[in-house]
Amino acid sequence: MIVIKFNRIEGNVDLPVPDYATSGAAGMDLRAFLPEGPITFEHGQIKIISTGFRVELPHGTEMQIRPRSGLALKHGFMIPNSPGTVDEDYRGCVMVGLYYIGSEPFTIAHGDRIAQAVIAEVRRFPTVEVSNLSDSTRGSDGFGSTGLK
C-alpha cells in the first residue's frame, strides 16, 4: 500500500493530520498553523501560511496545493502559484501562499482549512535540444489563439 507520511513541526500538537474529508474527495484539507493567533488579510495582500506539517511523498508523485473553492469563491482567496507543487524530495514544512482579492478585511484563524492538497503521479522525460521543431498549424498567435467559440 502506498501512503503519504506526515510529520508534525515543533509546536504542532493539535491540528489533525491532513486527510480526505469524504470518501470521494480528490484533495486533502490543509489547515492554517497559527499558534501565535489569527492573521487578518487586507485587499491585495499575499501571505505565506504554515500547515504545521512536513511530508514524505511516494516516489513518482507530487503534492499539488490548490485553492479551496469556498474560500476562493465566497471570500476572495487565491493561491498565486496555483497549483503549487511540493516535490517528492522536499522535507520542509508545507506552506501555502494566499492572495486576498476580497474588499473587506478577512481573518484566518488557527486550524482553518485554507487549501487542499492533491497527490498526483509525475512522469519525467529526457530532454534534448534540437535545431528545428516539426511543423504545426498552431502556435504563432500565443494565448487564446483558438478563439472563444
Side-chain angles (χ1 to χ4, degrees), residues 36-130:
E36 284 84 38
I39 59 171
T40 299
F41 283 79
E42 302 285 339
H43 175 79
Q45 285 187 314
I46 296 175
K47 296 183 182 190
I48 298 174
I49 300 177
S50 170
T51 65
F53 287 94
R54 291 179 287 269
V55 67
E56 183 177 336
L57 298 169
H59 177 68
T61 65
E62 68 165 324
M63 176 185 282
Q64 297 177 0
I65 309 297
R66 300 180 181 182
R68 295 189 74 243
S69 58
L71 201 58
L73 298 173
K74 293 178 185 173
H75 302 291
F77 280 94
M78 299 167 47
I79 294 181
N81 63 325
S82 184
T85 294
V86 177
D87 297 308
E88 72 176 61
D89 59 351
Y90 178 73
R91 294 294 182 272
C93 184
V94 176
M95 308 293 278
V96 175
L98 290 178
Y99 174 46
Y100 182 56
I101 60 170
S103 57
E104 299 297 319
F106 191 90
T107 300
I108 300 285
H110 178 74
D112 284 354
R113 293 178 294 167
I114 57 170
Q116 59 181 326
V118 174
I119 308 303
E121 289 188 72
V122 174
R123 291 184 59 194
R124 294 177 54 109
F125 298 90
T127 61
V128 61
E129 183 177 359
V130 297

